[in-house]
Amino acid sequence: MPHTLKTVADLEAIYGAPNPRSLLKEIDHLNADYRAFVEASPFIVLSSVGAGGTDASPKGDAPGFVRIVDERTLAIPDRPGNNRIDNLRNIIEDGRVSVLFIVPGAGETLRVNGTATISADPALLASFAVQDKLPRSVILVQVQSVYFHCSKALVRSKLWERAQEPKPALPTAGRILQRISGGAFDGEAYDRELPERLKTTLY
């Protein structure tokens, strides 16, 4: 493809030099301003890389569910899910992660890059108990760089304004599974039972 950009020089010919402010705002630790984003965020996207490829998984809980251990360490509880553990497999194999912190109503987002390990320390798990239920493990992120993204992406998407609009007519989880399985999966039963199942399996 003749118009494919293949080198850094190709990119720089189009984009030019970075805005100096974009370099200034990247630091190697969580200062007071960046801590505020972590403490206010109820939702993150955790990205990882491993032998099987890349992964980006959503994680959410009450604001501040990601614990700031110190200015260079974060602790993320891993709650019950589907047991694919794609991110955890990648962390075992490689360790490099990125965490994007999103705060409802805020335009800026915070990105933390670093390396991760996984802990099953009983005392650490107990410290993250919710409704007397422990996480399966805790992901410990050693912070290497912290950077805040400006609000342009959220302004263009009108993300928070659209949250007030009627929900799009998307296929339900049950319908998706039923179609993928060629009709072997009972999607109606899955959707009908989902609200109650969420109540009992959330933690």
Side-chain angles (χ1 to χ4, degrees):
M1 298 177 66
H3 299 292
T4 300
L5 306 181
K6 298 181 178 180
T7 68
V8 173
D10 291 340
L11 293 172
E12 291 176 343
I14 293 176
Y15 288 94
N19 184 311
R21 289 192 302 275
S22 71
L23 302 177
L24 175 66
K25 60 188 181 181
E26 182 176 6
I27 60 177
D28 65 358
H29 64 284
L30 291 157
N31 64 9
D33 292 327
Y34 289 169
R35 289 174 67 101
F37 279 86
V38 176
E39 292 167 347
S41 175
F43 184 82
I44 66 171
V45 178
L46 174 64
S47 298
S48 61
V49 59
T54 59
D55 183 74
S57 293
K59 293 184 179 295
D61 213 323
F65 77 99
V66 175
R67 181 179 300 165
I68 301 172
V69 179
D70 57 49
E71 66 178 8
R72 286 185 168 82
T73 311
L74 294 171
I76 306 171
D78 193 63
R79 304 294 180 184
N82 55 24
N83 290 339
R84 282 182 55 110
I85 58 173
D86 296 319
N87 257 324
L88 301 183
R89 294 179 195 275
N90 283 349
I91 289 170
I92 291 292
E93 293 173 355
D94 188 298
R96 289 177 293 169
V97 297
S98 293
V99 188
L100 184 68
F101 291 86
I102 299 173
V103 179
E108 294 77 16
T109 56
L110 186 77
R111 185 189 72 206
V112 174
N113 293 338
T115 58
T117 56
I118 305 166
S119 175
D121 178 276
L124 183 59
L125 298 182
S127 73
F128 279 100
V130 175
Q131 299 175 6
D132 295 324
K133 296 181 180 179
L134 309 184
R136 301 287 186 87
S137 63
V138 175
I139 300 166
L140 298 172
V141 178
Q142 299 303 309
V143 175
Q144 295 176 337
S145 71
V146 189
Y147 176 91
F148 82 89
H149 293 273
C150 75
S151 62
K152 289 180 181 177
L154 271 74
V155 170
R156 285 191 291 256
S157 69
K158 297 183 179 179
L159 181 62
W160 307 128
E161 292 91 331
R162 295 189 197 284
Q164 309 305 317
E165 298 174 0
K167 182 180 177 180
L170 299 173
T172 65
R175 183 177 299 176
I176 292 171
L177 290 165
Q178 184 167 326
R179 287 179 177 171
I180 289 175
S181 69
F185 186 88
D186 189 343
E188 289 187 8
Y190 182 90
D191 288 336
R192 185 173 58 251
E193 297 165 1
L194 180 59
E196 187 61 31
R197 186 165 57 248
L198 284 175
K199 291 179 183 178
T200 59
T201 62
L202 205 56
Y203 292 98

